[in-house]
Amino acid sequence: MTTTYDTKLGLYIAGEWLGAEGRDTQDVVNPATGAGQAALPLASVADLDRALEATERGFIAWRATPPEKRAAVLVRTAQLLRERGDHIARIATLEQGKILAEAKGEVAFAASLLEFHAGEAQRIYGRVLPRPSGSRSMVLHQPVGPVAAFCAWNFPIMNVVRKIAPAVAAGCSIIIKPSEETAGSAVEVLRCFQDAGLPGDVAQCVFGVPDMVSRRLLASPITRKLSFTGSVPVGKALMKLAADTMMRTTMELGGHGPVLVFDDCDLDKTLDTLVAHKFRNAGQVCVAPTRFHVQDGIYDRFAAGFAERTRRLKVGDGMDAASQMGPMANSRRPDAIADLVGDATAAGATLLAGGERGGEGGFFFQPTVLSEVPLTARAMNEEPFGPLALLSRFGSDEEAITEANRLPFGLAAYCFTENGRRQNILGDAIEAGMIAINNVRLSYPDSPFGGMKDSGHGSEDGPEGVAAHLVTKTVHIS
């Protein structure tokens, strides 16, 4: 097996790094070549039980830790993440496929998340209610308890930080299970926390057979909260497990981002913005713009401009500075996208760009544009999670809003119009947890990130992300 990592993988349980001795392992693969590059040890039932015992101890100690000390650990972790950024970004590219510039941007955003949550650790306020003299009623917000968190592979650095930072800020302990396909990034992030002084019992990292790990962690009465980022079907299955112990849940599930493009938009600027954003991380982004609903008056020009820009994109190994889009993250994804493209063209869609696999030896798929896609096509109803842009027409504002809200997903939506009154109406009428108007950025450290309907509930980031790790208690004193 070719080893291209500059890291040693392992479980991190109760403050110890555990190797593969006596454990099953799984290969971590480079998506650009298809070659294995590291052996990942998988947790046994005994490992998980040990982690649960440790996280219970960790919670008791960490909840009593002063907020300023929690904040100091988070700030130091951010510093280490930046210092090691090039190394960690390289690992993310080698195991996930995204271009190196995107991986470096992910490191920078993760560091800013840590710094924001460091401030929030010192802003967990309660309140005193008005009562007669000699009496007090106080509202307190306290950490919910040990957290079980499960991460997706598409943002292997940020997703890990997004789970750990608010839990640590709130005073919770956490067991995190990142994706086995992107283990190296998670291991390096955990090392930053460890070297910043976070006690080993407070944040632990396990890998394993997902069904076994989730069932073991969620069945335990020690676990008080579930935080999950991933697909809708898996999220619903985990919620059923969590219901047995009535634990708190934050679910950041799939999306199918509608983009409403009106005929009064700045067309060239809109096209430049959307093409770059559509194909970042090879379209493997839960908030990716996917269904492009374009007003009749500019549809033909939009479709031609979108396809022309898409055809110019250079696809290649993420480590190549010339690449603008890397491979898909695993061998499953090109097959899935090819099936969706075949179904859509059979239903009557017109292929304007891409539509085929690309590259040699890796998991590449060309950035693809389909025009006049009928609503009956699978891709218009199932999250593609890949480099696939779906174009269709609309006439009136009402028609556009109806189509934006048609699916059970409600994570992200995008609108492009210069009409201020329309902007206000769209912000109110579209059923999505996050809406971007004349821009595509939805993630900021201080703003909540989350969806509605089948896209989940609860928020990450912002004050809301820390609040999701707190329980409310009222104390009445006479």
Side-chain angles (χ1 to χ4, degrees), residues 397-412:
D397 291 19
E398 292 75 16
E399 182 184 348
I401 292 170
T402 297
E403 179 53 30
N405 293 338
R406 177 178 61 87
L407 296 181
F409 305 103
L411 187 59

Side-chain angles (χ1 to χ4, degrees), residues 17 28 31 34 77 97 108 131 217 231 257 296 307 333 414 466:
W17 289 100
V28 180
T77 305
R131 293 291 182 265
L217 296 184
S231 70
D296 285 325
R333 300 310 306 149
Y414 305 86
V466 175

Side-chain angles (χ1 to χ4, degrees), residues 184-305:
S185 304
V187 165
E188 290 306 298
V189 170
L190 262 292
R191 286 204 172 103
C192 290
F193 277 102
Q194 180 191 44
D195 294 344
L198 186 67
D201 289 352
V202 175
Q204 302 174 84
C205 181
V206 300
F207 303 96
V209 178
D211 184 67
M212 186 272 283
V213 175
S214 58
R215 288 182 184 277
R216 196 72 180 181
L217 296 184
L218 298 183
S220 172
I222 293 171
T223 306
R224 300 288 184 85
K225 175 179 168 65
L226 161 65
S227 182
F228 174 72
T229 299
S231 70
V232 174
V234 174
K236 290 181 176 181
L238 292 180
M239 281 191 67
K240 291 176 182 177
L241 295 176
D244 287 340
T245 56
M246 293 295 291
M247 70 177 63
R248 181 81 64 86
T249 58
T250 297
M251 311 300 289
E252 199 274 278
L253 307 181
H256 204 306
V259 186
L260 306 185
V261 183
F262 294 83
D263 55 15
D264 67 339
C265 75
D266 182 332
L267 184 57
D268 284 335
K269 182 179 178 181
T270 298
L271 284 167
D272 290 342
T273 300
L274 285 175
V275 171
H277 196 62
K278 167 66 244 184
F279 298 112
R280 72 182 179 112
N281 202 14
Q284 299 165 126
V285 182
C286 58
V287 296
T290 300
R291 293 177 288 141
F292 296 82
H293 306 295
V294 185
Q295 202 156 22
D296 285 325
I298 60 168
Y299 181 87
D300 291 337
R301 286 185 293 149
F302 181 93

Side-chain angles (χ1 to χ4, degrees), residues 2-13:
T2 302
T3 302
T4 51
Y5 274 166
D6 291 331
T7 188
K8 181 176 176 60
L9 301 183
L11 307 168
Y12 184 58
I13 297 176

Side-chain angles (χ1 to χ4, degrees), residues 342-395:
D343 173 80
T345 54
T350 301
L351 181 66
L352 298 183
E356 298 178 351
R357 293 172 175 81
E360 296 181 5
F363 311 138
F364 293 93
F365 200 94
Q366 296 174 353
T368 299
V369 183
L370 293 171
S371 178
E372 306 286 2
V373 187
L375 296 184
T376 55
R378 282 177 51 212
M380 289 293 276
N381 299 281
E382 303 173 13
E383 182 180 24
F385 214 67
L388 181 57
L390 309 165
L391 278 53
S392 64
R393 303 173 182 267
F394 73 84

Side-chain angles (χ1 to χ4, degrees), residues 444-464:
Y444 293 86
D446 60 354
S447 66
F449 187 98
M452 60 179 66
K453 302 196 293 188
D454 271 12
S455 291
H457 57 254
S459 296
E460 298 184 298
D461 304 348
E464 292 83 357

